[in-house]
Amino acid sequence: MGARHPSGAGLLFFDLDDTIIQSGFHISSRVLDALSLAHSAGYVLSIASGRPLCSINKQLLDTGVMDYAVCANGAAVVRLSDRKDLRRKVMSREDALCCMDLLAQFDPAWNGFFDNKAFFEWKGTSYMLTGRVGAIARVRRYAPGSRGTLRRVVWLAKRGVRYVMRMATNRSHKQVPKLRPHVARAKRGVQKIGCTIASPESCLKAQKVLMDDGRFEVVRMGATELEITARGVTKGTGAAFLMETLGIDPARTVAFGDGGNDLPLASAVGTFVAMENADSEVKAAADEVCPSVVDDGVAVWIRKRLLGLADE
């Protein structure tokens, strides 16, 4: 993709956590300004998240800068202007329960997205519930020279505590002792289920069990977390559906991401941009790498490569 495109000629996909959102809750004004500039230039903007719609950052939705959302790793594609589902690809309750049975030997902590709610078992530590609010550890993970100063870390940690409090009172988020009874009562199928497992070795074994079964798409997030959707449901297939629906040539699309669930985007779009803080396999699959999330890498790339503007 060249540095600049004519107005209205492109479609941009954005992962959320650790791509445009820091520590699960904060979007910098620099990133929001860049998104607004791209939108004003005629680009169509879409979220591409593992989160369901009910878990997507309200600050971002309230800006009105996003036009669509590929949610729950592609299980739902939503037009945000009227919250209309353009596509739903869910797994049946029976398949979801079978998935849980297959992994019972690993004693996982489960989460699930269905019936317009996000469910999390009490013992779980999914980043989608906690917002990755261990801010000190996460900022230290980023490359030296990033703007993760001690003052910033303390600020993020304080904001993170408030984020967790908001999550605890969000009626769309339910912490439950066990997920299974809720899956058994799911009314419209299950968009996605996920789990955390005690050790990296067990997580790899659990992933293989599900892949060998053949009914599921399984991605590994970090060392001990899996995200599971129905076969053929990924961020890549969700993005491809939206491109086809809007009549936009894949060559004129860009996606930004950092984690394992973003890898299917690499083969679906014209240009895949990995964050500097991305997993190594994600960076290996990328066409380009932009600065880390704490350095507002998406904003840097949009201004320079998409709009031909000088960096701020």
Side-chain angles (χ1 to χ4, degrees), residues 116-150:
N116 299 317
K117 288 185 174 64
F119 296 84
F120 301 87
E121 289 187 346
W122 291 344
K123 66 179 181 179
T125 57
S126 169
Y127 70 88
M128 293 187 184
L129 177 64
T130 64
R132 298 183 189 245
V133 294
I136 293 176
R138 290 198 58 72
V139 172
R140 283 179 178 170
R141 195 190 79 177
Y142 298 137
S146 70
R147 296 184 296 170
T149 63
L150 179 59

Side-chain angles (χ1 to χ4, degrees), residues 62 66 73 98 107 122 124 187 192 211 215 241 300 306:
D62 286 349
M66 291 291 178
N73 287 355
C98 180
D107 191 29
W122 291 344
K187 297 175 182 177
K192 188 181 85 168
M211 294 298 291
R215 281 176 288 180
F241 168 83
V300 173
L306 198 69

Side-chain angles (χ1 to χ4, degrees), residues 18 132 138 141 220-223 257-263 272 274-286 289:
D18 293 338
R132 298 183 189 245
R138 290 198 58 72
R141 195 190 79 177
R220 194 174 178 210
M221 301 296 290
D258 75 295
N261 60 1
D262 298 312
L263 282 170
F272 179 62
M275 309 302 294
E276 178 58 42
N277 53 274
D279 296 339
S280 58
E281 63 178 337
V282 177
K283 287 195 279 190
V289 177

